[in-house]
């Protein structure tokens, strides 16, 4: 905390408490500089000299609610893109949505909720996949009632979602032929989603914390809820409570998908964990605690997302990792990357090779693949310190400073739990204590990023 005139300590604590109480964003509890930067801009806009003045504005009966909406829009992190997390969309396309379609044959009605939908890329992606699956099942879309709800705390993001105009960055995982099929160009840099998909999705403002209040939030029941990369900003106890509340809004055998880096994973007895190729999903049990039927992925490949291999027993990857490193160190990075791909096709949950693949992809300039692979390592091994170390650096280089700060804080917390002289897995001899010293130097010295970069060696 800066303790500046504009942000006296007592006032700033009140502000942090107000923000976390209203939004649940526990992320800002130890991110004083980030919150001061965002709130400072709002204060200057309204001529507030101190955060006490700004708190008075937020509490004002006439202007407070509108200002809260503006503040919520600027403190939320809403970066997303179409078909984000290919493994989950493979599971949706091959297993989850086909099962829901078959189950709903009598009513021809599906309800889906995208929590924290940001600019709408996620619910619109679902609309695209559902349309194709219904067509392939010889079903007329007009005969079905498809209700896809997208909610977010950011009114600015919801305005963008309703506009349905996207930049190349949001469409970066879509091939040009698919972009031409689903979108219409409106300028050199923007494409608008076709009206048929837009009609399937409605958007509305909603604070996820409303789920913890009686009769709060969308009532349901829903066949599928997606809450991906939302709970990572909440305290553990709140996250579990929110998952419990969402589970109560699912139909029997309804599905819940969370992000790879969420802080919680075991929700028994109110949800069953279902392992699908490349990802975990959660399913509401049948009434009376009856075990639902086992789930098997459909054999056909997904059309619009990469096919994920079926997990098998994890081998000792030390020899293959050493071989890949030798090839990369010899200057044959592309060949080393292919060796990673070949190994992961047979052993898709091998954390060590996923990590090595991510580092090599980064060094070869494939930043999207590197980010996805580092996140996969974290998903498979939640206490992996070095994956967070690399991912934070990658995001920071790309301008994602808020996300990078959050992930680096997680990295620091995990490293502090280790014995100081304990070598970190995949750290090339770097110890937990050594990493923490580098982080402290980073906080104290402008030259320290160079030292931390040496801990994050990327093959060239």
């Amino acid at each position: 905390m800066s303790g500046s005139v504009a942000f006296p300590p007592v006032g700033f604590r009140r502000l942090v408490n107000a923000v976390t109480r209203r939004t649940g964003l526990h992320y800002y509890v130890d991110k004083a500089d980030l919150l001061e930067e965002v709130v400072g801009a709002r204060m200057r806009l309204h001529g507030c000299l101190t955060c006490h003045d700004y708190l008075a504005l937020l509490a004002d009966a006439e202007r407070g609610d509108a200002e809260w909406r503006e503040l919520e829009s600027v403190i939320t992190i809403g970066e997303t893109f179409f078909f984000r997390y290919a493994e989950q969309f493979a599971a949706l396309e091959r297993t989850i949505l086909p099962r829901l379609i078959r189950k709903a044959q009598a009513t021809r009605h599906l309800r889906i909720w995208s929590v924290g939908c940001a600019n709408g890329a996620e619910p619109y992606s679902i609309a695209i996949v559902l349309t194709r699956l219904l067509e392939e099942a010889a079903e007329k879309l007009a005969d079905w009632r498809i209700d896809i709800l997208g909610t977010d705390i950011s009114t600015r993001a919801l305005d963008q979602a309703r506009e349905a105009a996207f930049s190349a960055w949001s469409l970066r995982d879509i091939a040009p032929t698919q972009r031409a099929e689903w979108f219409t160009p409106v300028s050199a840099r923007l494409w608008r989603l076709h009206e048929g998909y837009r009609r399937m999705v409605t958007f509305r403002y909603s604070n996820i914390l409303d789920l913890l209040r009686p009769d709060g939030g969308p009532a349901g029941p829903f066949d599928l809820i997606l809450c991906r990369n939302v709970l990572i900003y909440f305290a553990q106890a709140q996250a579990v409570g929110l998952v419990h509340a969402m589970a109560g809004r699912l139909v029997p055998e309804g599905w819940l998908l969370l992000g790879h880096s969420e802080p919680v994973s075991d929700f028994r007895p109110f949800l069953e964990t279902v392992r699908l190729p490349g990802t975990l999903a959660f399913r509401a049990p049948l009434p009376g605690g009856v075990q639902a039927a086992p789930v098997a992925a459909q054999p056909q490949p997904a059309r619009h997302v990469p096919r994920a291999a079926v997990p098998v027993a994890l081998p000792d990857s030390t020899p293959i990792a050493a071989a890949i490193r030798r090839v990369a160190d010899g200057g044959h990075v592309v060949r080393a990357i292919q060796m990673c791909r070949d190994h992961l096709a047979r052993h898709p949950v091998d954390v060590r090779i996923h990590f090595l693949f991510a580092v090599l992809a980064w060094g070869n300039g494939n930043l999207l693949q590197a980010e996805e692979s580092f996140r996969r390592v974290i998903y498979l091994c939640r206490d992996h310190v070095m994956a967070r170390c690399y991912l934070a650096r990658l995001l920071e280089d790309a301008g994602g400073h808020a996300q990078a700060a959050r992930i680096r804080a997680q990295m620091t917390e995990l490293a502090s739990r280790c014995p100081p002289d304990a070598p970190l897995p995949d750290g090339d001899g770097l110890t937990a204590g050594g990493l923490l010293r580098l982080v402290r130097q980073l906080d104290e010295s402008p030259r320290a990023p160079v030292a931390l970069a040496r801990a994050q060696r990327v093959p060239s």
Side-chain angles (χ1 to χ4, degrees), residues 66-379:
E67 180 56 26
W68 265 118
R69 296 290 179 95
E70 290 298 317
L71 181 60
E72 289 165 348
S73 293
V74 294
I75 65 175
T76 50
I77 301 168
E79 198 281 328
T80 188
F81 52 93
F82 276 76
F83 301 102
R84 188 178 188 182
Y85 299 131
E87 296 86 354
Q88 287 195 338
F89 268 93
L92 283 162
E93 190 168 0
R94 292 204 295 268
T95 303
I96 296 173
L97 291 176
R99 285 176 66 93
L100 291 177
I101 290 171
R102 290 194 297 271
K103 184 182 174 186
Q105 281 296 318
T107 62
R108 281 175 160 70
H109 184 197
L110 288 175
R111 296 193 70 202
I112 298 169
W113 179 19
S114 169
V115 185
C117 66
N119 65 5
E122 178 177 270
Y124 284 140
S125 297
I126 295 292
I128 291 170
V129 174
L130 257 180
T131 299
R132 187 185 66 77
L133 290 175
L134 288 171
E135 290 174 351
E136 290 188 348
E139 297 281 352
K140 293 182 179 179
L141 183 61
D143 295 338
W144 282 72
R145 180 181 170 189
I146 306 295
D147 295 325
I148 304 175
L149 172 66
T151 63
D152 204 279
I153 198 173
S154 170
T155 54
R156 297 183 187 180
L158 291 171
D159 288 342
Q160 293 175 351
R162 295 185 184 102
E163 184 68 17
F166 297 93
S167 67
W169 184 244
S170 293
L171 308 181
R172 60 188 182 270
D173 234 17
I174 296 179
T177 54
Q178 295 167 339
R179 186 175 65 193
E181 179 184 353
W182 302 329
F183 296 83
T184 300
V186 294
S187 71
R189 298 183 178 181
L190 286 178
W191 290 262
R192 177 166 285 115
L193 186 68
H194 289 173
E195 181 64 24
Y197 302 121
R198 295 171 63 184
R199 284 197 299 265
M200 298 170 68
V201 186
T202 57
F203 297 97
R204 81 176 196 225
Y205 171 89
S206 180
N207 185 339
I208 191 174
L209 284 188
D210 290 341
L211 291 175
L212 302 180
R213 306 179 181 105
D215 302 320
F222 294 96
D223 300 282
L224 168 66
I225 298 176
L226 302 102
C227 183
R228 306 189 307 162
N229 291 336
V230 175
L231 301 180
I232 52 177
Y233 302 106
F234 291 79
Q236 177 89 5
Q238 272 188 326
V240 174
L242 290 168
V243 171
H244 198 174
M246 286 185 280
R249 287 161 173 77
L250 289 171
V251 301
E253 296 189 281
W255 294 83
L256 171 66
L257 282 181
L258 303 176
H260 288 173
S261 301
E262 308 293 9
V264 285
S265 60
D266 187 0
F267 307 114
R268 290 172 292 183
F270 51 89
L271 284 173
E272 300 169 359
T273 301
V274 181
R275 295 187 178 275
L276 296 173
T279 193
L280 293 178
F282 303 94
R283 186 170 54 166
L286 291 168
V290 178
Q291 186 75 19
V295 175
Q298 300 299 307
Q300 71 271 17
R303 177 174 300 183
H304 300 308
V305 292
R307 182 170 184 170
V310 178
V312 294
L314 181 64
D316 178 6
S317 57
T318 302
I320 183 64
I324 293 171
R325 284 178 176 274
R326 283 196 298 271
V327 171
D329 289 343
H332 305 289
V333 176
V334 174
R335 181 183 167 196
I337 289 174
Q338 188 57 49
M339 291 171 68
C340 290
R341 292 185 187 277
D342 293 343
H343 179 82
L344 292 172
R346 299 187 300 274
H347 309 292
V349 293
D350 191 326
V351 173
R352 176 175 291 177
I353 304 304
H354 272 301
F355 179 84
L356 188 53
F357 181 36
V359 174
L360 291 168
W362 187 7
N364 205 42
N366 192 339
L367 304 187
L368 179 60
Q369 178 64 70
E371 178 184 348
E372 292 287 346
S373 293
F374 283 131
R375 292 188 185 278
R376 191 171 307 155
V377 172
I378 295 169
Y379 175 65

